[in-house]
Amino acid sequence: MSESAASIRVRWHTAQLLYNRRVHQTVENLHLSPKMRWLFTSAAAVLFAFPQPTIAKTPLPKHWGDFEVKHAWTDVPKGWELHAPAASDHTFAMRIGLKQGRFDELVTALYEVSDPYHPKYGKHLTKDEVEELVAPHPETVSVVDSWLSAHGIDTTSVQRGNGGSWITLKVTVEQASHMLNASYSLYRHGQTNEHVVRTTSYSLPRVLHNHIDVVTPTTYFSTIRTMRATNLQRRIEALQDDDADIESKLIEPGSLAAVPPSCNTTITPACLRALYNTSTYVPKATIRNTIGVAGYLDEFANFADLTTFFQRFRPDAANVDMQYVGGITFPTPNVYFSTGGSPPFIPDSSTPTNTNEPYLDWITFILELEQSDIPQTFSTSYGDHEQTVPFDYASSICNLFAQLGALGSSFIFSSGDSGVGGGDCETNDGRNAVRFQPTFPASCPFVTTVGGTFGVNKEVAASFSSGGFSNYFVQPSYQLSAVSTFLTKLGATNSGLFNHGFQVVVGGVIETTGGTSASCPTFAGVIALLNDFRLSQGKTPLGFLNPIIYSAGIAGFNDITSGSNPGCGTRGFNATTGWDPVTGLGTPDFIKLQALIG
């Protein structure tokens, strides 16, 4: 009597676990290097994978087996190590980004509504209009559905969102492996001890490459913990001047000469409101205007700390984002979006787990809100080195920001805190060449990126402030003039290396923090006030900022001409007259911007 498929599977998993245990014991006894240990265990896993018994299936049509690689890493991404084979019956939510039928038209519309000199300026699209432009072509839907059906997936159970351009389906590791010609495994991060189910390579049938942009989770390894932005913090023993002390020393609000010297070392909301000329503005459109703050890693708005912060620094009115956004924009409503972490992975579990890809989870949630509930301004102080994000994934996420810009929202990201690059700055494409490391999503052309400065009565570029040139995205038209001028002055410097203290309350005590994670909410607060003014005048919000700040609004910034952002064994880029990669256009002057673009 033949054994049932279930009993075969039980015997298989038992043998597999015993085998894996012996392999790891052997590796430990051999005292191999980390790379050799990974090669040994990978080879052992592959050898053992061949005889796995499967239930007989109807052969797939030939064209579904004609694979072409969609994305592959040359090695396991830095910081991660192979932990164990993924259980074949482990289930997860697979998300597939379909080719968007009229995305070029969406980008055209985005630039039209964001260009102050275009007749459509400020006439942002509706959600229905955006979804109509990103909806996949009917042929794409038909071909992809045929592929899913061939793998036994009921297409009526597939969730379709964002105009049908993103679909979500429940699959097992075994199914995903067959569909994508991939080998899923369980990987562990050395520093965070996180475990994720990923693959170092995935493919699609050739006929699908013109219909599918990205499949997740596949080769994007970064998680909520590994992509967390850096705050440069230190605890201080004595409290510095509070806002009442500083405001009493302000002789002429908006004049840099009037900002007290203490603001050179201890930045509070009063310092920032004076420095960026917002101290005399009182928000008027607080019923319509909101600012959103993105938080990850189970972070949340700490109301106790926020209360302590306001009592100390903004009596008229946690974490660094909420405190400085609130300190500048009060009483404008702030909305904190907390994206939770992923539950622990249990190898033999059949329970779906979070795919743990925070950008996609978060943006999908925002796009599902009613348009009236989407904040006009967003501050996000998180990022990854661009090269650690697969190009197909980065492009798809960047395109989602374009949709939100077309709807009328301004997205502001911190540039990062690694200068022109942290670590060894080596490329991960197998060449190990030294190259500057831009940050994503800061490198996306559809968001606005903020670096950092220090000092008051002369601001200087912060040395840790990231900034540079994307290796993924082409130079947008709105930057052409500014960047060309800078490159002409730069000459051959850094050739080949690039592609063409704030006070917060943490845990109830005062700490000093810096980093572009602090700059981002500060600038976002200024933009939120500009949106408040526009809405109070019966106008629309600013939406996608870059086209207007590089044109009509360029005179509303204080040019920063000192400092640099060293890294990768170089001085990095120098701040200079006009636009530069470390300080961009400079720091905002609210009163000037109010007159220029308000």
Side-chain angles (χ1 to χ4, degrees):
M1 182 179 296
S2 62
E3 292 184 273
S4 68
S7 64
I8 291 175
R9 189 179 298 279
V10 170
R11 287 200 305 108
W12 166 255
H13 283 309
T14 302
Q16 189 179 34
L17 290 171
L18 290 173
Y19 178 79
N20 290 339
R21 189 176 302 164
R22 290 174 182 171
V23 167
H24 287 290
Q25 288 174 345
T26 302
V27 170
E28 292 300 322
N29 292 335
L30 290 175
H31 303 291
L32 300 174
S33 66
K35 187 164 186 177
M36 288 302 296
R37 183 183 296 118
W38 179 81
L39 290 171
F40 186 97
T41 53
S42 296
V46 170
L47 288 171
F48 195 65
F50 278 112
Q52 180 174 6
T54 58
I55 302 172
K57 297 179 179 178
T58 303
L60 290 172
K62 185 177 179 179
H63 61 280
W64 294 135
D66 181 19
F67 287 102
E68 181 180 330
V69 173
K70 182 67 173 171
H71 182 260
W73 294 118
T74 57
D75 203 347
V76 175
K78 287 182 180 180
W80 294 92
E81 60 183 23
L82 180 68
H83 183 72
S88 60
D89 59 352
H90 168 65
T91 60
F92 61 87
M94 175 185 285
R95 290 178 177 173
I96 303 175
L98 304 185
K99 189 74 68 178
Q100 298 174 343
R102 299 162 59 194
F103 182 75
D104 289 345
E105 293 181 45
L106 174 74
V107 173
T108 298
L110 171 65
Y111 280 110
E112 288 176 348
V113 300
S114 306
D115 179 358
Y117 304 116
H118 196 280
K120 290 186 179 179
Y121 176 68
K123 298 178 181 179
H124 301 113
L125 278 60
T126 66
K127 286 190 69 175
D128 288 342
E129 289 171 331
V130 167
E131 291 188 353
E132 182 180 346
L133 292 175
V134 301
H137 191 278
E139 180 185 356
T140 292
V141 177
S142 176
V143 172
V144 172
D145 280 359
S146 296
W147 172 58
L148 297 179
S149 296
H151 284 278
I153 294 170
D154 180 6
T155 56
T156 63
S157 66
V158 171
Q159 298 177 21
R160 304 177 190 268
N162 196 221
S165 63
W166 283 89
I167 62 176
T168 305
L169 50 144
K170 177 181 174 182
V171 296
T172 64
V173 163
E174 184 177 24
Q175 280 179 302
S177 298
H178 288 306
M179 294 169 66
L180 306 176
N181 195 31
S183 178
Y184 277 89
S185 298
L186 183 63
Y187 293 87
R188 174 184 172 275
H189 192 267
Q191 291 185 339
T192 66
N193 200 36
E194 285 182 286
H195 293 79
V196 296
V197 175
R198 296 292 189 273
T199 177
T200 56
S201 172
Y202 82 100
S203 303
L204 288 171
R206 292 180 189 274
V207 296
L208 291 179
H209 275 253
N210 289 330
H211 299 285
I212 291 179
D213 285 332
V214 66
V215 181
T216 73
T218 50
T219 55
Y220 176 46
F221 275 67
S222 187
T223 68
I224 288 171
R225 295 177 189 273
T226 62
M227 65 106 185
R228 189 183 187 190
T230 302
N231 290 332
L232 309 175
Q233 293 182 330
R234 64 182 175 85
R235 190 172 298 251
I236 58 177
E237 299 299 326
L239 296 177
Q240 306 296 321
D241 291 348
D242 58 22
D243 270 22
D245 297 328
I246 291 172
E247 287 182 339
S248 68
K249 300 173 184 177
L250 296 177
I251 302 171
E252 181 184 353
S255 169
L256 293 183
V259 179
S262 62
C263 290
N264 276 298
T265 56
T266 304
I267 290 291
T268 72
C271 293
L272 296 174
R273 293 169 68 205
L275 190 60
Y276 301 133
N277 226 344
T278 68
S279 59
T280 60
Y281 182 77
V282 179
K284 306 175 184 64
T286 54
I287 295 178
R288 296 180 55 196
N289 189 42
T290 58
I291 181 168
V293 178
Y296 298 104
L297 190 60
D298 296 323
E299 291 182 338
F300 57 92
N302 188 318
F303 291 101
D305 281 350
L306 192 61
T307 299
T308 302
F309 181 85
F310 277 166
Q311 288 174 343
R312 176 72 186 178
F313 298 116
R314 189 77 197 261
D316 61 324
N319 55 66
V320 63
D321 291 320
M322 287 300 290
Q323 289 171 17
Y324 275 88
V325 162
I328 291 176
T329 64
F330 180 81
T332 302
N334 292 199
V335 181
Y336 192 84
F337 297 92
S338 182
T339 304
S342 176
F345 174 75
I346 304 174
D348 62 352
S349 171
S350 61
T351 303
T353 61
N354 192 319
T355 57
N356 203 21
E357 295 189 324
Y359 299 129
L360 186 53
D361 291 341
W362 182 70
I363 301 173
T364 299
F365 176 81
I366 299 298
L367 283 168
E368 289 175 350
L369 295 174
E370 294 292 332
Q371 188 164 359
S372 59
D373 293 331
I374 299 177
Q376 291 83 0
T377 312
F378 284 89
S379 172
T380 311
S381 299
Y382 297 84
D384 294 299
H385 280 157
E386 186 183 66
Q387 69 168 5
T388 67
V389 185
F391 177 71
D392 57 347
Y393 184 88
S395 297
S396 296
I397 296 299
C398 187
N399 291 349
L400 290 173
F401 286 120
Q403 294 183 43
L404 286 160
L407 292 173
S409 292
S410 303
F411 273 84
I412 300 161
F413 277 85
S414 57
S415 66
D417 296 342
S418 303
V420 290
D424 57 21
C425 295
E426 291 184 352
T427 59
N428 61 352
D429 56 4
R431 297 183 299 118
N432 296 327
V434 174
R435 197 173 177 89
F436 290 169
Q437 299 293 326
T439 304
F440 179 83
S443 62
C444 170
F446 303 129
V447 304
T448 303
T449 302
V450 180
T453 62
F454 68 91
V456 173
N457 197 4
K458 183 176 180 183
E459 287 185 86
V460 177
S463 61
F464 55 76
S465 185
S466 297
F469 298 84
S470 173
N471 293 314
Y472 281 179
F473 304 104
V474 298
Q475 185 183 102
S477 58
Y478 56 75
Q479 276 190 327
L480 185 60
S481 176
V483 174
S484 296
T485 301
F486 172 79
L487 292 177
T488 299
K489 291 186 290 186
L490 185 66
T493 304
N494 297 327
S495 178
L497 294 177
F498 64 92
N499 186 36
H500 264 59
F502 284 67
Q503 283 195 343
V504 298
V505 177
V506 180
V509 299
I510 303 293
E511 289 187 353
T512 293
T513 186
T516 57
S517 294
S519 307
C520 184
T522 301
F523 181 74
V526 174
I527 298 303
L529 293 182
L530 287 172
N531 277 332
D532 177 273
F533 177 71
R534 286 182 59 87
L535 291 171
S536 71
Q537 300 295 307
K539 300 177 181 178
T540 57
L542 289 166
F544 178 40
L545 293 172
N546 298 3
I548 194 169
I549 63 177
Y550 274 89
S551 57
I554 198 167
F557 291 85
N558 306 309
D559 193 15
I560 309 300
T561 59
S562 300
S564 64
N565 60 345
C568 304
T570 74
R571 280 183 51 84
F573 295 108
N574 289 322
T576 185
T577 301
W579 181 92
D580 56 73
V582 61
T583 64
L585 296 174
T587 56
D589 184 313
F590 175 77
I591 298 299
K592 290 180 180 178
L593 288 171
Q594 186 181 20
L596 291 168
I597 65 178

